[in-house]
Amino acid sequence: MITIENPLRAMLDRDELALGVGLRGSRTVEIARAMKTAGFDWLFIDMEHNAMSLDDACNISVTAQAEGIVPLVRVPGTEHHHATRALDGGAMGIVVPHVDDVETAAQMVSNVRYPPVGKRSMYGALPQLGFNAYPQADAMAALNDALYLVLMIESPEGVANADAIAALPGVDCLLIGTADLTAEMGVPGQLEHPDVVAAYETVIAACKKHGKHAGMGGVYAADTMKKYVDMGMRFILAGSEFSFMMQGAKAQSAAVRSLK
């Protein structure tokens, strides 16, 4: 029997906070070790909102596995090849943006998981298996167990369908994309608007009901983050390496200019 360790799933099953960092500007593999050293648990390798290539995403993913930080790739769409190529290249999980309905959710489960759960095509010598050859049935079962599938809820329609989406076997986490959700609700940037709070309550309840994990993105102020963590959010996108760089750079330039 083959076992592939996914420490992210284990942390969340223990009800711990699992902290992720978005990768926007990074293109080299050192970022995996750097973010592990910085205290993060998973990488949000973003192929939706920047020009990162699949090659870069896969190189970072393989290095992240070796460094003990879990690589998740946010794909740019729901076409099967975006997710499966990232997984074949080393990603331990997939983040799917803009999942509004159960049909899209079910299609993504089918795309990323091997039979009998889904219809993903088998490919040999995978990084997740250490490039070892194993009996096909054993490899498929181990990869299915290790893979972490995150579906983003970013619209009122997605919130309304959260219970049905969370009920699907093969879905691991519902991640609220708060910025897009507030925009679609007509309250852009109002992260604590009553309608947004209600959406969080709905998604968290759906996840708890069906044994899935609830996730949060787009909220980075500590007091607001605490509000939603106290409500039950555990899978936390805590910021991006680019925003951290800008914060540090601005603080240092201001500090040095103040010397004269």
Side-chain angles (χ1 to χ4, degrees):
M1 182 176 179
I2 308 165
T3 300
I4 302 171
E5 183 180 0
N6 189 329
L8 171 61
R9 188 191 305 281
M11 290 183 69
L12 291 165
D13 286 345
R14 294 192 298 266
D15 199 38
E16 298 176 11
L17 289 184
L19 304 185
V21 54
L23 301 188
R24 173 182 173 180
S26 301
R27 298 293 185 273
T28 57
V29 299
E30 291 93 337
I31 194 64
R33 177 172 289 187
M35 292 300 99
K36 174 67 174 179
T37 298
F40 291 97
D41 305 302
W42 54 278
L43 299 178
F44 185 88
I45 303 170
D46 194 359
M47 294 186 66
E48 182 189 15
H49 283 305
N50 66 54
M52 181 180 288
S53 71
L54 180 63
D55 215 15
D56 291 332
C58 291
N59 287 335
I60 293 170
S61 292
V62 173
T63 303
Q65 288 185 46
E67 295 296 334
I69 184 168
V70 177
L72 307 181
V73 173
R74 175 161 72 172
V75 293
T78 57
E79 296 83 355
H80 79 281
H81 58 86
H82 290 308
T84 56
R85 293 183 72 200
L87 291 169
D88 287 347
M92 292 293 294
I94 295 295
V95 181
V96 186
H98 310 293
V99 177
D100 293 333
D101 52 63
V102 71
E103 292 79 14
T104 302
Q107 184 61 58
M108 290 310 303
V109 171
S110 180
N111 288 352
V112 303
R113 295 196 183 276
Y114 295 110
V117 183
K119 294 188 175 182
R120 179 180 167 193
S121 176
M122 189 66 192
Y123 178 68
L126 293 173
Q128 297 90 335
L129 296 171
F131 301 107
N132 288 305
Y134 292 105
Q136 182 173 337
D138 293 343
M140 289 165 57
L143 290 161
N144 271 349
D145 288 344
L147 185 147
Y148 197 77
L149 178 60
V150 181
L151 304 182
M152 294 194 70
I153 305 298
E154 304 184 83
S155 70
E157 182 183 0
V159 173
N161 290 320
D163 186 77
I165 293 170
L168 285 173
V171 172
D172 294 299
C173 175
L174 301 189
L175 169 63
I176 295 179
T178 317
D180 281 347
L181 180 60
T182 63
E184 292 214 20
M185 285 182 162
V187 291
Q190 297 183 46
L191 302 179
E192 296 187 67
H193 189 280
D195 291 345
V196 177
V197 175
Y200 267 77
E201 291 172 342
T202 297
V203 171
I204 291 168
C207 289
K208 287 183 176 179
K209 176 181 176 181
H210 297 289
K212 307 301 170 65
H213 304 131
M216 172 174 68
V219 179
Y220 306 118
D223 54 348
T224 307
M225 294 179 82
K226 178 170 173 50
K227 176 186 182 76
Y228 292 130
V229 167
D230 287 346
M231 288 170 57
M233 286 292 170
R234 294 293 181 268
F235 180 84
I236 310 297
L237 181 59
S240 74
E241 99 285 33
F242 187 81
S243 65
F244 300 151
M245 178 190 73
M246 291 300 294
Q247 290 165 10
K250 287 180 178 181
Q252 182 69 356
S253 66
V256 175
R257 289 191 186 281
S258 71
L259 299 179
K260 181 177 179 181

